[in-house]
Amino acid sequence: MASKSNTVVRSSLRSDRQNLPKSGSSSSGGTGSTPHPSTRSKPPSARRSAAPPNARSSNRDDCTDPGRVRVAVKLRPKNAEDLTCDADFADCVELLPELKRLTLRKNNWNSESFVFDEVFTESASQRRVYDVTAKPVVESVLNGYNGTVMAYGQTGTGKTYTVSRLGKDDPSERGIIVRALEDIISETISSDSVAISYLQLYLESVQDLLAPEKTNIPIMEDPKTGEVSLPSASVVKVRDLDHCLELLEIGEANRHAANTKLNTESSRSHAILMVFVRRSVKEKLENELTYPDNRPQIDVPVGNSLPVVLKSKLLIVDLAGSERIDKSGSDGFVREEAKFINLSLTSLGKCINALAENSPHIPTRDSKLTRLLRDSFGGSGRTSLIITIGPSARHLLETTSTIMFGQRAMKVVNTMRLKEELDYENLCRKLESQLDYLTAEMERQQKLSENNRGQMEQKLKECQHSFAEAEKDYSAKIQSLERENICFETEIRKMLNAMNLQKDQNDQICDEVARLEKSLTHSQVLADTTQMYERKIAELIKQLEDQHLLYRSEQEKLVEAKKHLNEHQRSMQIQGQKEMEELRLKLQEMSHLHENAVNELIFSRSENAELSSQKETLHKELQTVWTKLLDEEKQRTCLEEELVKLKKLVSENSDVDNDAKRSYIKDSCEEVASALIRPMSFIKSSQSKEAMSGRRAIIAKIFEEVGLQRILALLRSEDLDVQIHAVKVVANLAAEDLNQEKIVEEGGLDALLMLLRSSQNTTILRVASGAIANLAMNEMNQGLIMSKGGAQLLANITFKTDDPQTLRMVAGALANLCGNETLHSMLKEDGGTKALLGMVRSGNSDVIAQVARGMANYAKCESRGINQGQRKGRSLLINDGALAWMIANCSTTLASTRRHIEIALCHLAQNEDNVPDFISCGAMEELVRISQESSREDIRNLAKRTLNMNPTFVAGIQRA
């Protein structure tokens, strides 16, 4: 979209430039009769304008609003400090360049999206950044408009690299300044001129970087036009690109920089490069003078056709970075520099806010920076803004402030005006040369005419005398010619009479000759004609025989060619059929792969939505748990002291009787379990990585001091309280992926299954089922659970208890097992699917949600196996009556349950063998309703695709 809009703007600018000579009088207010220079600028009161409400809603289109400030955002790659300090933090910025969208994560559960004119990732090249953001502005400057390219952002985010990089060693790293000067110089000709000024705003003082002795340069404003100028600043006319690079190196060497915590070479001043471009417009004039001695032609302007000069100015601004004193570590004089930088940037932000809100007062005089940039925001030039940000979450506030600055700047609209002046110097030189030549030519003509006048008078007298003599001779000749004419007429009449007599005699002789020829030729014609026809007939017969022989030979060749053609066609047809069959198989394979990818994408999106809802729930739990943090810290300290005492007591009192030792171990285990349960719950609910790492350190210390084997051994204790506390510890440990493998290796899974088989205590059954549900999240553990009869034990528990919490844990474990396609048959044989469906009798919303999740996992795995050709036949869920339950609960008010049921129906419908059941029990109507009324767009699309890919569904919908 950006390239298309830039093309439109460039074409419009070209059309303005092409129409310039023809509309010189109308645009300049009668320049042909007025000696003063004319511009297209308006009074100072019309120099700024903010976007009206209707323009702000549609300011994404360059064609409808070309003067709007264009804003692009660029993300800096991670540096070594980010990789070290942010190892435990997620990036706070997510980019979607294809949508020109930026998502800012304020925390793990709250984010906000912003749309810009262009979004550059950390891998974007310097060439692409220049082509998209700065090149349209440079083209506008070459066409006579003012332009500004500015970089804004936090210190250390890459502004100077993007704008001022010279790229002497690597041309690909050249910044916007070098590339802009290169384009301007390449587009100008010898009659044009390019000059630059390089300034810095340091401590609210304008200094000349090309002449460092010039400090505190005053800023002047034209009272008539409102233009800002710096008369004391150095303006150097450049010759070529090498000259420009020399000047830029001088300026960069004189610019102030300092070492801070955020950047080793932090710019302590705002750098402003001014490029002044003066271009002459070539016009085809209406009249020309041609000299008789083949001298060059000189144009003479006629009417209002006057030579025009386009004067434009390009500002390239590298702003100093905004920074917080506590983060940058600035002190002493560097702190004073930071204060002035933040003050000027604050004034710029106020001006942007006032322009965005269409305020009647724009505080441009609060800072010298805003005075210098008066024409860039709300003025008559074209402006592009590049905001640079970093990926680190440590600087979230600075990144948010930079993004909001860019969002407000996008609402500012400039009134672009073409500044053109009459080239009086060139016009005066042409007129003077024309006047000198015309004066000399007039004097020469006057002298020549005086010399020729006497000669012409003498020739006139001679001509008059010769004319009188010729007139006398002419009269004598006329009289003699008249006499001769009379004699000739008499002789002609005599000759005519003689010719008439001779003509009559000739006619009679011709008639007699014709009669004789006719009688003579009539007798000879018949004989000659007969012989001629006989010869022709013989020749035609011979030609016919030759043609017949030729026809037979050609016919034989044609038969042979047809034979070869038929054989070739048969071979090509066989080969084409083989290729078509191979292509058809490849197409089917690609179609299956595409469908699988689409299903996986839809599932991922649904899982993402579910995680988002869970994230909101966890955020609420975090607020409750946060109040308990101090108590848990105290308990952690006590736990560490208790572990030290326990180790010391075991070493000192090795001969203590077993009963006392067992009692002490029980008490210690209770304390460990109670302490572990709270930290583990905190780990689940809190999103703080620092707290999580602290809790993991506690668990690691407990493993080291107590040992997993001793904790698992307590599961076989005869004391019910010890078993309860031990199984709670194991369940919490199983929630961590790192601990699951150790638990299984040490026999923890067998111990948990033993408790399910032998225990009658509701608490033990509930917690043990939860521990197995945690272990069942690992695919390797799923096969072990099924092989050891875990599914059958879980199914038996559903018939032993009606406790909703216990049923929720059992349903969660079975739902995890349903996510493994290889276990489906075994799960059905052990009664797992039937037990899962039977738990809906409890009526508890959490249990029903887990049941729906299991159905969705089961259906997705079946659908994947069918698409890959690994499974055929009617779904096992339909055999257990799950389809009727899903139809009855498809419209439930619980969003999570409804979403999983909708996903399950969509995947079951992809199996051809399930279609008759869908038709007979009304599931097809529910599928149609899901495609139209589902709250999730991805589920609606999945349902529509499922309906369209099955001809039976399509026919049923058409009949309905």
Side-chain angles (χ1 to χ4, degrees), residues 30 52 57 133 150 369 435 454 474 504 652 714 801 814 828 831 873 881 947:
S57 62
T133 59
M150 185 168 65
L369 177 63
L435 180 61
Y474 182 69
D504 293 338
E652 291 179 356
L714 296 177
T801 180
L814 292 175
K828 178 175 177 59
L947 290 170

Side-chain angles (χ1 to χ4, degrees), residues 394-654:
R394 295 177 293 123
H395 307 303
L396 177 62
L397 294 179
E398 289 81 355
T399 302
T400 304
S401 175
T402 302
I403 291 174
M404 296 311 299
F405 179 87
Q407 288 289 299
R408 290 189 293 269
M410 290 178 67
K411 300 179 182 179
V412 179
V413 178
N414 296 341
T415 304
M416 297 179 61
R417 291 190 294 272
L418 184 69
K419 184 178 179 182
E420 52 185 24
E421 296 179 357
L422 297 179
D423 192 359
Y424 287 105
E425 296 179 359
N426 189 17
L427 178 61
C428 184
R429 287 194 297 269
K430 286 186 178 181
L431 292 177
E432 287 177 354
S433 63
Q434 293 171 7
L435 180 61
D436 294 339
Y437 174 76
L438 291 175
T439 302
E441 183 70 17
M442 184 176 63
E443 293 176 353
R444 188 175 63 84
Q445 291 294 338
Q446 288 178 353
K447 186 176 181 180
L448 183 62
S449 61
E450 290 176 357
N451 295 331
N452 292 334
R453 185 180 299 173
Q455 297 177 2
M456 295 297 291
E457 289 178 353
Q458 186 177 358
K459 290 181 179 180
L460 179 61
K461 292 178 182 180
E462 294 177 356
C463 289
Q464 290 176 352
H465 180 69
S466 61
F467 180 75
E469 293 179 353
E471 190 175 7
K472 293 178 182 180
D473 294 338
Y474 182 69
S475 299
K477 289 181 180 180
I478 289 175
Q479 292 176 0
S480 62
L481 289 173
E482 287 178 352
R483 289 192 295 269
E484 291 178 359
N485 189 22
I486 294 170
C487 296
F488 285 147
E489 289 179 353
T490 305
E491 292 179 359
I492 288 171
R493 282 195 293 270
K494 292 180 180 179
M495 291 177 68
L496 287 174
N497 294 331
M499 289 176 65
N500 289 331
L501 294 174
Q502 185 68 30
K503 183 179 180 181
D504 293 338
Q505 293 177 1
N506 289 337
D507 290 339
Q508 293 177 359
I509 294 171
C510 288
D511 293 339
E512 185 66 22
V513 170
R515 185 180 64 78
L516 293 173
E517 288 179 352
K518 185 176 181 181
S519 60
L520 179 63
T521 57
H522 182 70
S523 60
Q524 295 179 355
V525 165
L526 294 176
D528 295 338
T529 304
T530 302
Q531 294 177 358
M532 180 184 66
Y533 282 151
E534 288 178 353
R535 289 194 299 271
K536 287 185 178 181
I537 289 172
E539 292 176 358
L540 289 175
I541 290 173
K542 185 176 181 181
Q543 291 178 2
L544 182 61
E545 292 177 352
D546 295 339
Q547 290 292 334
H548 186 66
L549 294 175
L550 181 62
Y551 171 74
R552 286 183 178 179
S553 62
E554 293 296 332
Q555 190 174 14
E556 292 176 356
K557 292 181 181 179
L558 179 61
V559 171
E560 188 68 22
K562 286 183 178 180
K563 182 177 180 182
H564 288 295
L565 179 62
N566 292 332
E567 293 178 355
H568 180 68
Q569 288 179 348
R570 283 196 297 272
S571 62
M572 291 297 293
Q573 185 176 7
I574 295 172
Q575 183 178 1
Q577 290 178 354
K578 292 181 180 179
E579 293 179 354
M580 289 294 293
E581 185 65 24
E582 293 177 357
L583 290 175
R584 186 179 65 80
L585 295 176
K586 291 182 180 178
L587 181 61
Q588 290 179 354
E589 183 178 356
M590 291 177 66
S591 176
H592 288 309
L593 293 175
H594 175 70
E595 291 294 332
N596 295 336
V598 170
N599 294 334
E600 290 295 333
L601 178 60
I602 294 172
F603 176 70
S604 299
R605 289 179 177 174
S606 62
E607 290 296 328
N608 186 23
E610 182 179 1
L611 290 175
S612 299
S613 62
Q614 292 178 1
K615 186 187 296 182
E616 295 177 358
T617 305
L618 292 176
H619 175 65
K620 295 178 181 178
E621 294 178 0
L622 175 62
Q623 301 299 328
T624 305
V625 173
W626 189 257
T627 57
K628 301 179 182 180
L629 180 60
L630 294 177
D631 295 337
E632 293 177 359
E633 291 296 329
K634 294 179 181 179
Q635 292 175 3
R636 181 180 62 82
T637 305
C638 296
L639 178 60
E640 292 178 351
E641 294 176 356
E642 186 66 25
L643 287 174
V644 173
K645 292 178 181 180
L646 177 62
K647 185 176 181 182
K648 183 177 180 181
L649 183 60
V650 170
S651 61
E652 291 179 356
N653 301 321
S654 58

Side-chain angles (χ1 to χ4, degrees), residues 41-48 221-227 374 378 417:
S41 60
K42 294 183 179 179
S45 59
R47 292 181 69 253
R48 62 173 177 82
E221 293 186 14
D222 191 336
K224 294 183 179 180
T225 63
E227 290 190 6
R374 181 176 180 179
R417 291 190 294 272

